[in-house]
């Protein structure tokens, strides 16, 4: 039994089993696409009932679908030939076979019919009559198309059968299944990739897990599983599944699948002419190919991974033969990105010639979609000297994302291509060159010296007023501004940006790139200066402009997106940050593999600022492992510091000790702002882990460098000191946050003001603002302090109300909130009637899902009531409910 197919099916299994146990007629019809798990579910039902019923199995078959009673032949061996067409005689003989198996115990008959969509009409009629007469119970599986035979479908119409439509796995179920299969925790971004690529299909998911583990793509480090490269359709497991599907089709259908897999998407009219409409309809009915936009629209393989697997199965000679046949039917310039990439990839695999312009377009697009092998292959084939610099830039971007910074620099450094005045992407190439040099450990001074030397060589002998000379100089100036930001010299950056902006002209061919660069740098500058809302607006403007010119620009998406996400986090706009990080996976699941560690590091920072400590730990610990392999945004030290802090603050000293070692050995590679945050969180983590080792250093940081005095850096320092129990930090928080914009700074400003005033109402107002700003952790602290203040003032009703608000904030965290160690709170708020009911069911051993089904509410509702109950009962875990209720 393959347990992966039964994940999330407990409720359906229980209901189906109960239906078949009831008196009278009963049947269960399971409908699902291939690989979803209908056969596994039917077998599990049979296993559950095997001790009560005699199980007889029947398998539908396309080969026997036109043979009357063909699938019943194994049970009709003793039937005389002359009676082989008599339904009555067949029914009598079938029943006789059952009686022999039943013996004298009087057990009932359970018919398990797999692939009922392939039953012949006569056999399905016999099975329906057995159920209708109450002689047998039935479990039948079928695909939605072509669907159940009319006789079995009539059982449902007559109320004698229950129909179950099985759906693909949800993301949480994919995570559960992957964790069980691999035996460990799976990184969240890897789960997202597996869910996206498998589309929740358990069969495909199992193949992807096994194949990726076998080829070393799916690796485990410190108990965390994550992907290091794109999922492949060439694995043995998936190839075997696809090969078996192909072997069960006719020769005409196999030919059609080869054509579709190699040249998808293929216009339906072309396929009608080449393979025939009936063949195409049969493939669609059997869920082998699909036309997503309805009849007449282009046809693709039913699942992209099946198409990739099939392309690996087809021999090169056969592939070339099909290409020669198809070339005349397909457009020379595909109208879609998918079509262009498939056409170029196919030509390269066959050794066919492709024009340089088309190769470069495909390489550029493949690089943006992180289809790295195709991007490298296509770019390397570009022969034109005029196009080679941009082809090298594409290859450099692939190398950079893979962490091969030296190769990226070498590719971009040829003929100083990173500064060449080509309006199609030199500034992006220049920024990429600078980032790669920095990632290698080169100093900003050395990088700028080389950049200016390259610029001097390019403009030597040219007129200073030549527009090309001005463009090259501006590109070099942009690198200098980027270096100022990287080094944390924001005062100089402000002056430099003003000069850079004054020199821009709308009619210049590279105006868009220069404007994007300017907006991104202004976003970073304003963020560090504490004007996060303005910074976020600059970032939004850059993203809008980027989307308008996305197809013509290199590297800018990554350059802008990280700054926009950081600005969103600084402003407390958690939704904007989440939306920005989700853009990495919007066009390709590979984005979650390449940028997965960076994405989770920033999500961890978001969760920490919201006060969601346990969720942050769950996100950040895997992120550390992924960042060891891929870190294109150079957030490794920050990710490690955040994970160290989360572990130390939550009391996981063993993990914190291990992460503390990495804080020493991991080199600083990010920009000054990111590295400053990493230093701050590292010191706070050390203080949590070993008292007296970090707090004093945190206090001294603002006096060490100008960067640590800037509001966007200083406030984080002050907040962490407040969370460490520093009683003298509230006045500095109030003063610093008063000049800053955004919900995060505003919430802490009000909380600090309330702390200085000490009034219960002030704490309640602060808590309400923090809760409205999506910061339930700090909000719970504010309400906690309000309860204490009201209690000291003798306002017991207000104290109780504040305690309820605290509990609600804690419940919304989804984890256990650690209270201020200097406060004691009255937890005598009673459970509501609904909370009492849910707690009682939880104590009895029911799962959240079972409780939800029993009370006819959602699982999320159950979870919310339980979290609130934990807070009111003063416990942290479900396991403590029994003792808490008894007390």
């Amino acid at each position: 039994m393959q347990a992966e197919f039964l994940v999330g099916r407990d409720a359906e299994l229980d209901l189906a089993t109960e239906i078949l146990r009831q008196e009278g007629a009963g049947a269960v019809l399971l409908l699902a696409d291939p690989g979803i798990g209908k056969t596994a579910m039917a077998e599990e039902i049979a296993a559950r009932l095997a001790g009560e019923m005699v199980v007889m199995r029947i398998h539908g078959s396309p080969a026997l679908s036109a043979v009357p009673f063909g699938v019943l032949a194994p049970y009709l061996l003793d039937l005389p030939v002359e009676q082989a067409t008599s339904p009555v005689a067949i029914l009598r003989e079938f029943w006789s076979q059952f009686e022999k198996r039943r013996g004298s115990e009087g057990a009932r008959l359970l018919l398990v019919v797999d692939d009922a969509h392939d039953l012949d009409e006569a056999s399905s009629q016999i099975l329906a009559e057995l159920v209708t007469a109450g002689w047998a119970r039935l479990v039948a599986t079928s695909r939605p198309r072509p669907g159940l035979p009319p006789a079995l479908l009539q059982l449902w119409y007559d109320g004698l059968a229950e129909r179950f439509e099985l759906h693909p796995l949800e993301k949480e179920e994919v995570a559960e299944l992957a964790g069980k299969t691999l035996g460990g925790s799976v990184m969240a971004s890897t789960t997202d990739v597996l869910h996206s690529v498998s589309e929740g299909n358990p069969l495909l998911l199992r193949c992807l897990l096994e194949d990726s583990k076998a080829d070393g793509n799916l690796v485990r480090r410190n108990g965390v599983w994550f992907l290091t490269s794109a999922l492949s359709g060439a694995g043995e497991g998936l190839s075997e599944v696809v090969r078996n599907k192909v072997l069960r089709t006719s020769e005409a259908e196999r030919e059609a699948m080869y054509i579709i897999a190699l040249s998808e998407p293929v216009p339906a009219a072309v396929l009608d002419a080449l393979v025939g409409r009936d063949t195409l309809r049969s493939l669609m009915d059997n869920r082998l190919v699909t036309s997503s936009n309805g009849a007449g629209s282009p046809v693709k393989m039913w699942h992209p991974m099946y198409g990739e697997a099939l392309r690996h199965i087809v021999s090169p000679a056969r592939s070339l033969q099909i290409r020669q046949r198809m070339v005349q039917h397909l457009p020379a310039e595909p109208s879609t990105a998918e079509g262009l990439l498939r056409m170029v990839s196919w030509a390269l695999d066959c050794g066919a010639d492709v024009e340089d312009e088309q190769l470069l377009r495909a390489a550029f697009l493949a690089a943006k979609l992180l289809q790295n092998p195709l991007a490298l292959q296509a770019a390397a084939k570009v022969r034109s000297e005029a196009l080679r610099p941009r082809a090298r830039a594409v290859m450099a971007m692939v190398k950079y994302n893979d962490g091969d910074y030296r190769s990226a620099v070498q590719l971009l450094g040829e003929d100083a291509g990173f500064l060449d005045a080509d309006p199609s992407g030199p500034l992006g190439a220049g920024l990429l060159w600078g980032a790669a040099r920095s990632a290698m450990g080169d100093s900003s001074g050395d990088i700028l010296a080389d950049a200016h030397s390259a610029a001097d060589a390019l403009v030597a002998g040219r007129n200073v007023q030549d527009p090309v000379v001005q463009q090259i100089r501006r590109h070099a100036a942009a690198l200098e501004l980027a270096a100022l930001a990287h080094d944390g010299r924001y005062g100089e950056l402000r002056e430099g940006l003003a000069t850079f902006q004054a020199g821009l002209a709308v009619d210049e061919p590279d105006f868009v790139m220069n404007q994007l660069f300017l907006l991104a740098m202004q976003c970073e500058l304003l963020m560090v200066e504490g004007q996060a809302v303005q910074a976020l607006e600059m970032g939004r403007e850059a993203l809008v402009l980027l989307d308008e010119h996305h197809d013509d620009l290199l590297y800018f998406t990554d350059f802008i997106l990280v700054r926009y996400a950081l600005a969103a986090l600084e402003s407390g706009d958690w939704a904007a940050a989440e939306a920005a990080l989700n853009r990495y996976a919007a066009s390709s699941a590979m984005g979650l593999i390449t940028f997965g560690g960076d994405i989770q590091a920033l999500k961890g920072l978001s969760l920490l600022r919201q006060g969601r400590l346990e969720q942050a730990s769950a996100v950040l610990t895997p992120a550390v492992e992924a960042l060891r392999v891929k870190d294109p945004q150079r957030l490794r030290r920050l990710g490690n510091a955040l994970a160290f802090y989360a572990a130390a603050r939550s009391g996981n000293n063993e993990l914190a000790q291990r992460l503390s070692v990495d804080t020493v050995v991991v080199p600083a590679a990010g920009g000054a702002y990111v590295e400053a945050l990493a230093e701050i969180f590292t010191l706070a983590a050390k203080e949590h882990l070993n008292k007296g080792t970090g707090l004093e250093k945190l206090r001294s940081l603002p006096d060490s460098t100008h960067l640590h005095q800037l509001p966007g850096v200083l406030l984080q320092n002050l907040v962490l000191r407040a969370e460490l129990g520093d009683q003298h930090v509230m006045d500095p928080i109030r003063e610093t946050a008063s000049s800053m914009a955004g919900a995060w700074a505003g919430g802490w400003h009000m909380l600090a003001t309330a702390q200085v005033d000490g009034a219960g109402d002030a704490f309640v107002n602060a808590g309400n603002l923090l809760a409205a700003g999506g910061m339930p952790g700090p909000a719970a602290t504010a309400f906690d302090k309000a309860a204490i203040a009201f209690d000291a003032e003798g306002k017991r009703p207000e104290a109780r109300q504040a305690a309820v608000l605290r509990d609600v904030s804690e419940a919304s965290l989804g984890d256990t909130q650690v209270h201020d160690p200097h406060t004691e709170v009255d937890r005598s708020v009673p459970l509501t009637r609904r909370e009492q009911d849910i707690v009682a069911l939880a104590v009895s051993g029911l799962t959240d899902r079972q409780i939800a089904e029993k009370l006819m509410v959602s699982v999320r509702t159950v979870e919310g009531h339980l979290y609130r109950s934990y807070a009111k009962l003063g416990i942290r875990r479900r396991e403590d409910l029994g003792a808490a209720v008894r007390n």
Side-chain angles (χ1 to χ4, degrees):
M1 188 65 61
Q2 294 170 336
E4 64 264 28
F5 293 109
L6 302 177
V7 170
R9 309 286 190 212
D10 291 344
E12 289 106 325
L13 281 166
D14 291 342
L15 179 56
T17 305
E18 187 61 31
I19 289 170
L20 295 170
R21 283 188 174 125
Q22 294 173 356
E23 294 298 323
V28 169
L29 310 175
L30 306 176
L31 278 76
D33 283 328
I36 297 298
K38 55 187 180 296
T39 299
M41 185 169 174
E43 287 301 316
E44 176 62 19
I45 293 171
R48 291 186 178 192
L49 297 174
E52 309 167 35
M53 302 180 185
V54 174
V55 179
M56 297 178 68
R57 290 177 171 80
I58 297 169
H59 298 276
S61 168
L64 296 175
S65 60
V67 181
F69 308 115
V71 296
L72 301 180
Y75 301 106
L76 305 178
L77 298 177
D78 297 333
L79 185 70
V81 175
E82 62 273 12
Q83 298 181 14
T85 58
S86 169
V88 174
I90 288 172
L91 187 59
R92 186 185 302 115
E93 177 59 24
F94 187 87
W95 192 255
S96 173
Q97 292 294 326
F98 163 62
E99 291 289 352
K100 291 179 182 178
R101 288 167 171 75
R102 177 165 65 170
S104 59
E105 298 181 5
R108 291 186 291 184
L109 170 61
L110 176 64
L111 296 170
V112 179
V113 182
D114 200 20
D115 289 343
H117 51 273
D118 284 328
L119 289 178
D120 61 278
E121 182 180 352
S123 295
S124 63
Q125 190 64 49
I126 289 288
L127 299 176
E129 289 177 5
L130 287 168
V131 174
T132 303
W135 293 356
R137 302 291 185 271
L138 171 70
V139 179
T141 71
S142 173
R143 295 175 184 172
R145 291 177 59 182
L148 289 160
L152 298 187
L153 195 57
Q154 188 64 44
L155 295 174
W156 181 57
Y157 291 143
D158 294 340
L160 301 177
E162 186 70 32
R163 174 175 169 152
F164 292 83
E165 293 190 16
L166 307 184
H167 300 288
L169 300 176
E170 299 290 343
K171 189 181 296 183
E172 295 76 12
E173 293 165 339
V174 168
E176 177 187 350
L177 173 53
K180 287 180 178 179
T181 302
L182 298 171
S185 63
V186 180
M187 189 171 169
S189 57
T190 293
T191 296
D192 290 341
V193 173
L194 291 168
H195 180 257
S196 173
V197 174
S198 71
E199 297 179 357
N201 186 294
L203 175 62
L204 183 53
L205 177 61
R206 186 195 67 189
C207 292
L208 292 174
L209 288 171
E210 292 176 352
D211 291 346
S212 297
K213 187 177 177 182
D215 65 18
N217 178 24
L218 189 61
V219 298
R220 182 181 187 179
R221 296 196 178 182
N222 289 314
V224 177
W225 289 93
F226 59 94
L227 291 163
T228 61
S229 60
L231 293 166
S232 171
E236 183 178 340
L238 182 58
S239 295
E240 185 63 24
V241 168
V242 173
R243 191 177 289 109
N244 289 337
K245 287 180 177 294
V246 170
L247 291 175
R248 290 198 294 266
T249 61
S250 67
E251 185 176 347
E253 290 170 341
R254 286 196 292 274
E255 178 70 9
M257 281 193 289
Y258 293 153
I259 291 173
I260 295 168
L262 289 166
S263 53
E264 62 183 347
V266 188
V270 172
L271 287 172
D272 284 347
L274 291 174
V275 304
R277 185 163 299 179
D278 291 341
T279 298
L280 185 58
R281 184 180 297 113
S282 175
L283 291 174
M284 288 184 171
D285 285 345
N286 286 290
R287 287 295 198 270
L288 292 170
V289 303
T290 183
S291 178
S292 57
N293 296 323
S297 60
V299 178
K300 302 186 293 185
M301 291 301 298
W302 175 70
H303 194 286
M305 295 303 290
Y306 282 13
E308 185 176 343
L310 200 56
R311 289 191 286 273
H312 282 94
I313 291 173
V314 179
S315 68
R318 185 77 181 97
S319 176
L320 179 59
Q321 186 182 44
I322 293 174
R323 177 178 171 79
Q324 292 170 341
R325 179 183 176 191
M326 289 295 296
V327 163
Q328 59 182 317
H329 298 287
L330 299 175
E333 289 294 332
S335 58
T336 65
E338 180 185 16
L340 172 63
L341 294 180
R342 179 84 288 278
M343 186 61 64
V344 171
S345 177
W346 190 12
L348 293 174
D349 289 343
C350 293
D353 189 54
V354 183
E355 292 183 356
D356 283 347
E357 289 79 3
Q358 192 174 67
L359 279 172
L360 187 55
R361 285 198 303 274
F364 197 76
L365 179 59
K368 286 182 173 295
L369 296 177
L370 298 169
Q371 295 183 20
N372 294 344
L374 176 56
L376 290 173
Q377 187 182 14
K381 292 287 186 180
V382 173
R383 293 151 296 191
S384 167
E385 286 301 319
L387 298 178
R388 284 292 296 165
R390 198 166 194 225
R392 287 195 296 268
V394 169
M395 291 190 284
M397 185 171 177
V398 172
K399 296 295 185 181
Y400 178 86
N401 285 338
D402 278 343
D404 187 356
Y405 305 122
R406 189 168 302 280
S407 294
V409 170
Q410 290 172 348
L411 285 163
L412 290 167
E414 292 185 32
D415 305 322
F418 63 95
L419 287 177
D420 196 2
D422 171 11
S424 62
L427 182 52
L431 295 173
L432 181 61
W433 176 83
R437 287 285 304 271
S438 177
M440 290 169 58
D442 293 347
S443 69
S444 295
D446 289 342
I447 295 170
L448 289 178
D450 290 346
H452 285 300
S453 295
D456 291 342
L458 286 171
V459 303
R462 294 190 181 187
N463 190 309
V464 176
Q465 300 302 318
D466 187 336
V468 173
V469 172
Q470 294 178 3
Q471 289 174 1
I472 291 173
R473 290 298 187 193
R474 189 172 291 112
H475 297 157
L479 279 175
E480 189 164 350
L481 294 174
L484 290 174
H486 183 272
D487 290 348
R489 296 155 63 186
Y490 288 103
E492 296 173 62
L493 176 64
R494 174 169 285 283
E495 296 177 5
L497 288 177
T499 303
F500 188 86
Q501 185 173 21
L504 295 184
V506 178
D507 58 350
E508 291 181 1
D510 56 355
F511 172 77
V512 171
M513 288 183 295
N514 288 321
Q515 185 67 15
L516 282 169
F517 170 75
L518 180 65
L519 289 169
M521 298 311 297
Q522 288 174 330
C523 176
E524 180 175 347
L525 176 64
L526 288 167
M527 171 188 65
V528 175
E529 291 180 338
Q531 301 307 308
V533 174
Q534 289 179 262
L536 196 57
E537 187 55 41
M538 291 292 180
R540 286 197 182 99
E541 188 176 339
L543 288 177
V544 170
L545 188 60
L546 178 68
D547 289 339
E548 292 175 357
H549 300 272
H550 180 75
D551 293 338
D552 300 322
L553 298 171
L554 181 73
Y555 183 61
F556 274 101
T557 297
D558 305 336
F559 187 77
I560 293 169
L561 213 51
V562 68
R563 288 164 173 79
Y564 176 82
L566 286 168
L569 294 178
E570 190 68 24
S571 71
D573 193 337
W574 322 119
E578 183 78 12
L581 296 175
N582 288 340
R583 285 174 65 109
Y584 281 110
S587 58
S588 169
M590 188 62 195
L592 291 171
I593 299 174
T594 301
F595 296 94
D598 294 316
I599 292 169
Q600 290 199 217
L602 294 180
K603 285 186 176 181
L605 177 58
S606 176
L607 291 167
L608 285 175
R609 286 186 170 176
Q610 295 171 51
R612 303 179 188 275
L613 182 60
E614 290 184 16
Q615 292 182 38
S617 296
V619 166
L620 289 166
T621 304
V624 169
E625 305 307 324
L627 287 170
R628 297 177 195 272
V629 179
K630 291 185 185 295
D631 180 23
Q633 294 291 15
R634 292 178 291 159
L635 300 179
R636 183 179 171 188
R637 284 193 78 237
L638 177 60
N640 192 90
L642 295 171
F644 178 23
Y645 174 79
R649 189 178 172 198
S650 61
N652 190 342
N653 291 344
E654 182 180 352
L655 175 60
Q657 288 284 6
R658 176 168 64 81
L659 292 170
S660 69
V661 176
D662 287 346
T663 63
V664 178
V665 300
V666 176
Y673 171 73
V674 167
E675 296 301 325
L677 290 183
E679 184 177 8
I680 290 168
F681 275 98
T682 297
L683 291 174
K686 288 180 177 180
E687 182 67 24
H688 278 291
L689 187 61
N690 298 301
K691 300 298 181 184
T693 59
L695 186 55
E696 284 305 316
K697 292 181 180 179
L698 276 174
R699 288 171 178 157
S700 65
L701 273 181
D703 297 326
S704 64
T705 65
H706 177 69
L707 175 62
H708 281 278
Q709 298 172 12
L710 294 175
V713 178
L714 178 59
L715 183 60
Q716 183 64 79
N717 181 323
L718 297 171
V719 166
L720 290 180
R721 284 161 55 186
E723 292 174 345
L724 284 166
D726 188 339
Q727 299 299 304
H728 306 292
V729 79
M730 288 303 175
D731 266 333
I733 287 179
R734 183 170 61 168
E735 180 182 351
T736 302
S738 65
S739 65
M740 298 176 66
W744 185 61
W748 274 99
H749 177 261
M750 184 164 282
L751 179 56
T753 301
Q755 182 70 40
V756 173
D757 294 343
D761 287 332
F763 280 120
V764 169
N765 291 336
N768 287 331
L769 182 63
L770 288 161
M775 292 170 278
T781 299
F783 291 131
D784 208 29
K785 292 177 180 294
I788 298 297
F790 281 133
D791 192 56
E793 296 167 13
K795 299 178 179 179
R796 297 296 296 165
E798 288 86 348
R800 285 183 174 274
Q801 182 61 34
V804 170
L805 291 172
R806 175 206 63 214
D807 293 343
V808 169
S809 291
E810 287 185 347
S812 68
L813 285 171
D815 55 33
T816 303
Q817 170 70 13
V818 180
H819 285 299
D820 188 320
H822 303 288
T823 65
E824 293 183 5
V825 183
D826 179 7
R827 294 191 178 275
S828 60
V829 180
L831 299 179
T832 66
R833 182 63 193 171
R834 175 62 91 182
E835 287 168 349
Q836 292 176 26
D837 293 340
I838 289 176
V839 166
L841 292 171
V843 170
S844 72
L846 296 185
T847 65
D848 290 355
R849 186 186 293 275
Q850 290 169 331
I851 295 172
E853 292 169 354
K854 190 174 186 67
L855 298 180
M856 293 183 292
V857 297
S858 70
V859 174
R860 187 175 295 275
T861 297
V862 172
E863 292 171 346
H865 282 300
L866 283 174
Y867 287 136
R868 285 187 284 275
S869 299
Y870 296 162
K872 292 180 180 181
L873 293 170
I875 61 174
R876 296 187 176 190
R877 306 179 303 169
R878 191 188 195 95
E879 292 78 2
D880 297 331
L881 272 175
V885 171
R886 286 192 294 273
N887 294 336

